[in-house]
Amino acid sequence: MMTIKWNANLYDQKHDFVSKYGESLVNLLAPEKHEHILDIGCGTGDLANEIAQFGAVVFGIDASNEMIQSAQQKFPTLSFKTQDATMMDYTHQFDAVFSNAALHWMKQQDKVIDNIYRALKQQGRFIAEMGGQGNITSIVGALRKSLTELQLPYEEHFFPWYFPAAEEYQKRLERAGFTVEMITLYERPTKLQGDDGLRNWLVMFSDNVLQHLSDHEKELVYAKCEQLLKPDYYQDKQWIADYRRLRFVATKA
Ligand code: BEZ
């Protein structure tokens, strides 16, 4: 399995847009008092905390121990655990499962979806948002092109993400037994804070793709990506990432 090393500090300082944009997903979840809610890939816990504000009992898991340590420090009264979603073994425990910007990191989708289905009570709901088909196409394209231009190899198997189309993901959910109430793929251009926004994004998220390179070579790739993307994705001192989200509501009938 792929290990992804997260930098919880950098994540909170520069990438809190991940949780900020997720805010309305919590409204879609509409947590109710005393409901038991599992937050998968909770990161540093901001959305789990928001869910808890509704009076729900939230349990956050994340495969990154560093993220969980940070979440637990920030929100000492909430429950968190370092756990990979493929290893979950909960049965009929949760009224809802929630996940924002995490599922696209997971390679064993069917295993994860089965685990989520089992974790839910009857009539329970699964509400999530993840990168969908076409997500960050320009950034991935720039990474590939930069490597080619710098005569460095692009290793396809280092690509860590799964960005599905709506139909494809709906089928997966239905195969596991879910009824899909809503599923939509939408464009959500996302601001990356500051002049170094793209570089910070690459430092944070391209570790897998560039794992075969030296630090010096990585620097060359970052600079090349900035050069390639600047004309179309940098305006008014602001970088924009071409995010595309897949958002859905599914229920355990
Ligand atoms: C996303 O949220 O779409 C995303 C974040 C980091 C890397 C890839 C995709």
Side-chain angles (χ1 to χ4, degrees), residues 18 101 104-105 130-131 135-136 161 163 201 205 243-245:
V18 175
H104 56 249
W105 291 98
M130 67 193 289
N135 194 40
I136 56 165
W161 305 302
F163 299 137
W201 192 98
F205 295 123
Y243 274 27
R244 263 206 206 179
R245 315 318 276 173

Side-chain angles (χ1 to χ4, degrees), residues 163-182:
F163 299 137
E167 301 70 28
E168 176 188 337
Y169 211 73
Q170 173 157 0
K171 278 196 197 118
R172 276 190 197 277
L173 290 165
E174 287 172 350
R175 264 204 310 268
F178 280 106
T179 302
V180 177
E181 313 285 347
M182 180 278 272

Side-chain angles (χ1 to χ4, degrees), residues 30-225:
E32 289 189 13
K33 224 175 171 153
H34 307 310
E35 275 192 323
H36 285 252
I37 297 179
L38 173 65
D39 180 359
I40 296 183
C42 63
T44 55
D46 289 353
L47 294 179
N49 180 51
E50 206 185 304
I51 292 166
Q53 307 296 311
F54 288 78
V57 182
V58 63
F59 181 54
I61 65 161
D62 201 290
S64 157
N65 189 41
E66 198 183 347
M67 288 287 188
I68 290 296
Q69 299 288 337
S70 165
Q72 195 66 78
Q73 252 172 24
K74 280 162 69 182
F75 308 111
T77 61
L78 302 187
S79 302
F80 297 103
K81 181 178 174 183
T82 304
Q83 188 172 48
D84 192 305
T86 57
M87 305 298 282
M88 294 188 305
D89 191 18
Y90 309 112
T91 308
H92 295 167
Q93 256 167 276
F94 295 97
D95 298 289
V97 172
F98 174 88
S99 182
N100 180 52
L103 294 169
H104 56 249
W105 291 98
M106 302 178 194
K107 289 281 178 213
Q108 291 174 265
Q109 287 291 323
D110 291 328
K111 175 99 184 116
V112 171
I113 294 171
D114 283 346
N115 287 353
I116 291 169
Y117 189 84
R118 186 168 9 90
L120 283 168
K121 296 178 188 168
Q122 219 59 35
Q123 315 302 330
R125 60 203 191 281
F126 175 25
I127 282 136
E129 184 166 303
M130 67 193 289
Q133 189 177 51
N135 194 40
I136 56 165
T137 300
S138 70
I139 298 179
V140 173
L143 278 165
R144 275 174 176 277
K145 191 151 189 243
S146 299
L147 290 167
T148 307
E149 288 189 12
L150 293 162
Q151 297 189 315
L152 296 165
Y154 179 84
E155 303 283 352
E156 199 70 58
H157 59 285
F158 290 161
F159 189 88
W161 305 302
Y162 168 61
F163 299 137
E167 301 70 28
E168 176 188 337
Y169 211 73
Q170 173 157 0
K171 278 196 197 118
R172 276 190 197 277
L173 290 165
E174 287 172 350
R175 264 204 310 268
F178 280 106
T179 302
V180 177
E181 313 285 347
M182 180 278 272
I183 186 159
T184 179
L185 181 69
Y186 70 101
E187 302 211 6
R188 203 200 59 203
T190 297
K191 290 177 184 163
L192 305 178
Q193 282 171 38
D195 246 15
D196 285 338
L198 178 69
R199 170 173 289 258
N200 286 330
W201 192 98
L202 291 167
V203 170
M204 179 84 193
F205 295 123
S206 69
D207 240 28
N208 292 85
V209 179
L210 304 180
Q211 62 187 271
H212 54 304
L213 304 186
S214 68
D215 286 351
H216 173 66
E217 287 168 334
K218 285 182 193 170
E219 283 301 323
L220 296 176
V221 172
Y222 302 152
K224 195 79 183 158
C225 282

